[in-house]
Amino acid sequence: MERNDPRYQAYVEILKEELIPAMGCTEPIALAYAAAKAREVLGVLPDSVQLQVSGSIIKNVKSVIVPNTGHLKGMEAAVAAGIIAGSAEKELEVISEVSEEKKSAIRDYLQTVPITIEHTEQGHVFDIVVTERCGQDYARVRIADYHTNICRIEKNGTVLYEVPLLDETVQEDARADRSLLNMQDIWDFAETADLRDVADLLERQIRYNNAIAEEGLLGDYGANIGRVLLTTYGNDVSNRAKAKAAAGSDARMNGCEQPVIINSGSGNQGITCSVPLIEYAKELHSGKEKLYRALIISNLVAIHEKTGIGTLSAYCGAVSAGAGAGAGIVYLCGDGYQAAIHTVVNALAIVSGIVCDGAKASCAAKIASSVDAALLGYNMYKCNQEFKGGDGIVMKDIETTIKGIGRLGKDGMRQTNEEIIRLMVGRELTNRFPPKDNVPGEVILEVEHLAGKYTRLKEASFQLRAGEILGIAGLDGSGRTEVLENLFGSMTKASGTIRLHGKEIKNRNPRESIKNGFALLTEERRATGIFGIRDILDNTVISNLKSYLMGGICLSDKKMRQDTDWA
């Protein structure tokens, strides 16, 4: 392929766009990036944060450790890290440098600042909106479609930056044209490319991803799949290729604070595309040039497969990356294009049933299985065996098969993705914090300067309006229990005014409070909520004994039993 060929230039640009560094799992890092950018725009530390995220973000962030946070997990941790310690200009390395002091500050921030999460679907599988507020000011940042694609920045109602997501032409113009990718041209490009155009990218991928794989074998990360494979199956090159790739994921999914070079927006896919090839190149003494060309094949084949599937899907990205690695290993072993395409088709036929259930420790085992399928697919070819068109999802040729996999991953598994998310979160994926649609009405209850005679409660004042639920929160000893007990009359008030519907009431004791329509569910129900020496019947009726009196002095046992049969 000539250097002035538009395909050549596109392939170089695709590699530059895709093979970028990231610290930690890319979905929580994208959250941290958005949060850091919003903090930068807001200009001060926010006192409240709202997240609106698509279901696939929830899935991919739920179980993974956020690096440089002291092993914190989840969306709240990622956002807090971005706000406290993030450098937005570093994009997916946004929290690559976090001091111990900042780690402590992240934990404090999580304890003191409300971070609410709302599930939202706005037509984009990858969608993050972070809104940060301080007083009356707010800043909002949206990332959609891929991890660094900030498409809207807003502050106090003014849109500072916006890219129209629905305009496909704008998106295509902004990135190299991935529709130019095909297996034959990828192979030709790899064989003829001027390595000066891509050597720095590939050398960085080798250095970063091999380093985290080595760390994964040395440290104690997740389920230690890499070490399990080496201990169980030995040290031959095919097993090392699986084990070291798995070890890189072991480390990355479980808090290792080393960067990786990603592929298709995923560190695990970047590791899978590269580490098995590095091991084979060592074994075969291939030399740097041959390894570089093999990495071009592996990376571009994985990107080609993933283009149809999309950034996030229920289709496990390790499968497409493993197939790409298989094609690269074919090149290192000296076989040609036909061997590569048969390896890819065979691998996809074997493991396309693996689903993505979020980023977590088991990703390492899925990577090992995907690399194993690629090696089996290659060995099938060497033994003159193959899966033929019409065998399940295998189509008539390599390009048709890849297109079919794209449809399967993007469209066919959409409902599967939603069901996986429901299983992971244990509920229907509706809004955890739905927007308020009620308008509070008139003041129902008003308390002014309430103080307790025998407690430290002083000067408690609040209003409760129609349509509201009022929460009173605080640590032990803060006085929240005393507020309610003084209000109910079970503790003696020193001072204060209580108004119900504008009329002052006293609530001098529980009997008077009940008459005024109040009830109290006590904090310690066994100690103060029941009479332990009495049975259920007595405890049920005791707050309304007057209604069971006969002749003013005797209780009607028959009436009490009739009213409490349900108990």
Side-chain angles (χ1 to χ4, degrees), residues 22 69 76 108 124 139 143 166 309-310 319 335 352 372 399 441 508 522:
T69 62
E76 295 93 335
D108 291 343
H124 299 269
I143 294 177
L166 296 180
I309 296 168
V319 173
D335 265 318
S352 280
D372 183 70
E399 296 302 329
R508 285 168 287 217
T522 63

Side-chain angles (χ1 to χ4, degrees), residues 25 173 201 216 280 305 363 400 420 430 440:
C25 178
D173 289 346
L201 293 173
Y280 266 86
E305 296 170 83
C363 291
T400 311
I420 288 170
T430 52

